[in-house]
Amino acid sequence: MNETIRVIKENQLFESINENDIQKILKCSNSVVESYHENQAIFEKDDTIVEVGIVIEGKLNLVSQKYSGTRVIVTTLEQNDLFGEALIFCSVKKSPYDLVSSGDSKILMIPYSIFINMCSELCDFHKQLINNMLTILSDKIIMLNNKMSILNAETLRGRIAVYLLTLQKKTNAFIFNMPMNRQQLSEFLNVTRPSLSRELSNMQKDGIIEIYRSTVKIKDLKRLQALAD
Amino acid sequence: MNETIRVIKENQLFESINENDIQKILKCSNSVVESYHENQAIFEKDDTIVEVGIVIEGKLNLVSQKYSGTRVIVTTLEQNDLFGEALIFCSVKKSPYDLVSSGDSKILMIPYSIFINMCSELCDFHKQLINNMLTILSDKIIMLNNKMSILNAETLRGRIAVYLLTLQKKTNAFIFNMPMNRQQLSEFLNVTRPSLSRELSNMQKDGIIEIYRSTVKIKDLKRLQALAD
DNA sequence: TAAAATACGTAACAAATGTTACTGAAATAA
DNA sequence: TTATTTCAGTAACATTTGTTACGTATTTTA
């Protein structure tokens, strides 16, 4: 269990909670570490989710079962990734995906009840746990809203503009590095890689940006902003 | 205050909490009903949000300030609509929008602290309030994920397919009405109205659906599912 | 260091979607 | 009822983005 705590004390869910109190939470909530092996399912589509999980060791694949029967990996969860946090609280708790272990893995499963029943001692760390959960859910909403505002842009140039402006704001600089390669960025913006390359080149020709590999320089902020509107 | 309770007792935030306990919550949290007049701002862009609000009377416009200076109404909030619920808990609590009263309005403002401090009595209804908030946030995440899966479809036909299949699943019928007109649906799918009309016609020609105004009949479920994959 | 693999840019062409403008049908108002 | 307004379908053309294929630069591996 010490290994578990060493991992999860870095998790946002346990922020500002010390190791002793984390231990109490795990005990009080009847949390357990479960072991899974290659291809074993943690849960399947339409299962009712009543626990949140944290990956302690190994990797998990979140798998979408297509109508055609083909299976597509939606995302991969690694050490300290949290899952199930939206499903356990929402009105319809059925999972839309399978969650499958990729190789051997260990997972901490935390039952639902710890988040809705305060213990009678009214411990401060229990409040903090729920507060952390509220922050995690809210941050996810903000992140999804930001992603939506990118996908809602009318043109690819607009999407690029919104994306670059968020980086400009975050770094507070006019020269910065993009944290994704072209393939990843094109998937994030929901276009093909050659389309993205072409448009970045066009924007460079038009004097809006300069770009080489992952390094971007914003040359005409006003026009970039106009594109993002 | 009785009028206020008559309104908000229908709100998801107060689900399974009786009128007496709602009254206690409002008192214990120092909630107040504020009055606003035409064009008065409830909060402005970059304000730090420390209260959730519920519209008791009138209408509010959530307004996006574009870089160009033009102002665009993102959405309109009406009686019993909740706002600020994600911003008060997230890591960066600054609002990206202005919230402005459209005509006279009355708004119940509920301070942040009620959601993070259990009162010493450990009242059941207080637990229920926080539980309701967790459900509201989680449902919003699920809704945004669904919307993302529509926008992520590669073609318009795919987006239409995803949308129709969610309606098919919800109504459990092969003939149903769409709750939006063409203009609204085209905005929801992020395309222009003529493009939507054209594609719906094409899908009808191809024998996948039959459509007249808002009435849709799914004629070839398998092909519709293949499109949504 | 050389060889192999990967990442990126580009170009020609195809396909999808946007734009504009017009029509008739349906709903609403007078 | 008739007139008016709103809603929806269509068509021609413009623009944007996808597809495919290839060359070159960069990074990784042996």
Side-chain angles (χ1 to χ4, degrees):
Chain A
M1 208 48 144
N2 273 349
E3 161 65 5
T4 301
I5 289 179
R6 241 194 313 282
V7 172
I8 66 176
K9 72 179 183 184
E10 307 297 332
N11 199 294
Q12 195 181 357
L13 185 58
F14 296 102
E15 181 156 320
S16 303
I17 304 177
N18 65 46
E19 294 194 25
N20 263 339
D21 292 340
I22 294 177
Q23 203 125 32
K24 283 186 206 160
I25 288 172
L26 297 188
K27 200 165 196 177
C28 166
S29 64
N30 293 315
S31 298
V32 291
V33 174
E34 298 180 349
S35 294
Y36 289 87
H37 54 257
E38 171 83 33
N39 285 328
Q40 193 179 1
I42 293 89
F43 55 72
E44 296 182 335
K45 187 176 178 202
D46 294 329
D47 279 359
T48 300
I49 307 303
V50 292
E51 299 163 307
V52 291
I54 296 176
V55 181
I56 303 302
E57 220 184 281
K59 292 185 182 182
L60 313 181
N61 287 326
L62 196 66
V63 176
S64 166
Q65 174 90 259
K66 296 297 182 188
Y67 291 108
S68 61
T70 56
R71 297 163 65 79
V72 177
I73 295 175
V74 178
T75 186
T76 297
L77 302 177
E78 307 193 355
Q79 193 176 68
N80 227 350
D81 282 342
L82 181 72
F83 60 85
E85 75 277 9
L87 282 169
I88 54 162
F89 298 117
C90 74
S91 307
V92 182
K93 298 178 177 14
K94 288 183 191 293
S95 170
Y97 302 119
D98 297 346
L99 185 64
V100 179
S101 184
S102 155
D104 289 344
S105 63
K106 288 187 181 167
I107 306 171
L108 175 67
M109 301 298 268
I110 308 171
Y112 176 56
S113 59
I114 189 79
F115 298 105
I116 53 162
N117 294 312
M118 288 302 286
C119 41
S120 47
E121 285 89 12
L122 203 66
C123 334
D124 272 353
F125 60 80
H126 203 157
K127 286 188 209 169
Q128 183 67 45
L129 179 76
I130 292 169
N131 194 14
N132 287 344
M133 180 56 89
L134 287 167
T135 301
I136 289 170
L137 294 174
S138 299
D139 281 350
K140 192 152 197 175
I141 291 174
I142 303 297
M143 184 271 289
L144 286 168
N145 274 326
N146 289 340
K147 179 126 203 215
M148 290 272 295
S149 78
I150 286 180
L151 292 182
N152 272 328
E154 287 164 9
T155 65
L156 173 52
R157 197 174 269 223
R159 273 177 249 186
I160 294 170
V162 173
Y163 176 73
L164 292 180
L165 285 170
T166 59
L167 285 181
Q168 194 278 320
K169 207 169 180 182
K170 198 155 76 180
T171 62
N172 199 28
F174 289 91
I175 301 178
F176 48 80
N177 283 311
M178 300 189 294
M180 294 189 250
N181 65 28
R182 289 290 182 282
Q183 186 61 47
Q184 293 168 322
L185 181 56
S186 68
E187 281 165 20
F188 183 73
L189 301 180
N190 208 28
V191 293
T192 61
R193 186 190 58 74
S195 295
L196 172 61
S197 273
R198 173 175 49 203
E199 198 54 38
L200 288 172
S201 292
N202 290 342
M203 290 172 81
Q204 181 160 246
K205 270 182 210 132
D206 293 350
I208 300 167
I209 57 172
E210 254 173 39
I211 184 163
Y212 178 73
R213 295 265 153 163
S214 69
T215 306
V216 178
K217 177 179 177 184
I218 293 179
K219 295 190 70 180
D220 192 335
L221 184 64
K222 296 253 178 233
R223 259 201 294 166
L224 202 62
Q225 290 174 335
L227 287 168
D229 270 355
Chain B
M1 210 45 144
N2 273 349
E3 163 64 6
T4 301
I5 289 179
R6 241 194 311 281
V7 173
I8 66 176
K9 71 178 183 183
E10 307 297 333
N11 199 295
Q12 195 182 357
L13 185 58
F14 295 102
E15 180 154 322
S16 303
I17 303 178
N18 65 46
E19 294 194 26
N20 263 339
D21 293 340
I22 293 176
Q23 201 126 31
K24 284 185 203 159
I25 288 172
L26 297 187
K27 199 163 195 177
C28 168
S29 64
N30 294 314
S31 298
V32 290
V33 174
E34 297 179 350
S35 293
Y36 290 86
H37 54 256
E38 172 81 34
N39 285 328
Q40 194 180 359
I42 293 90
F43 55 72
E44 294 183 336
K45 188 177 176 199
D46 293 329
D47 280 358
T48 300
I49 307 303
V50 293
E51 299 163 307
V52 290
I54 297 176
V55 181
I56 303 301
E57 220 182 280
K59 292 185 181 181
L60 313 180
N61 287 327
L62 196 66
V63 176
S64 167
Q65 175 89 260
K66 296 296 180 186
Y67 291 109
S68 62
T70 55
R71 297 164 64 80
V72 176
I73 295 174
V74 177
T75 185
T76 297
L77 302 177
E78 307 194 354
Q79 192 176 69
N80 226 351
D81 282 343
L82 182 73
F83 60 86
E85 75 278 8
L87 282 169
I88 54 162
F89 299 117
C90 73
S91 306
V92 183
K93 298 178 176 14
K94 288 182 192 293
S95 171
Y97 302 119
D98 297 345
L99 185 64
V100 178
S101 184
S102 155
D104 290 344
S105 62
K106 287 187 181 167
I107 305 170
L108 175 68
M109 301 299 268
I110 308 172
Y112 177 54
S113 59
I114 190 80
F115 297 105
I116 53 163
N117 293 312
M118 288 302 288
C119 41
S120 46
E121 283 90 11
L122 202 66
C123 335
D124 273 353
F125 59 80
H126 202 158
K127 287 188 210 168
Q128 182 68 43
L129 180 77
I130 292 170
N131 194 13
N132 287 344
M133 181 57 90
L134 287 167
T135 302
I136 288 170
L137 294 174
S138 300
D139 281 349
K140 193 153 195 172
I141 290 174
I142 303 297
M143 185 272 290
L144 285 168
N145 275 326
N146 288 341
K147 178 124 202 216
M148 290 272 294
S149 77
I150 286 180
L151 292 182
N152 271 330
E154 288 165 9
T155 64
L156 173 52
R157 197 175 269 221
R159 273 178 245 185
I160 294 170
V162 173
Y163 176 73
L164 292 181
L165 285 170
T166 58
L167 285 182
Q168 194 278 319
K169 207 169 179 180
K170 200 157 74 179
T171 61
N172 199 29
F174 289 90
I175 301 178
F176 48 79
N177 283 310
M178 299 189 294
M180 294 189 250
N181 65 27
R182 289 291 181 282
Q183 185 62 46
Q184 294 168 323
L185 182 56
S186 68
E187 281 165 21
F188 183 73
L189 301 179
N190 207 29
V191 293
T192 61
R193 186 190 58 73
S195 295
L196 173 62
S197 273
R198 172 175 49 204
E199 199 53 37
L200 288 172
S201 292
N202 289 343
M203 290 172 80
Q204 180 159 244
K205 269 182 211 132
D206 293 349
I208 301 167
I209 57 170
E210 255 173 40
I211 185 164
Y212 178 74
R213 294 267 153 161
S214 69
T215 306
V216 178
K217 177 179 176 183
I218 295 179
K219 293 190 72 179
D220 191 336
L221 183 65
K222 296 254 176 231
R223 262 204 291 169
L224 201 64
Q225 290 173 336
L227 288 168
D229 270 354

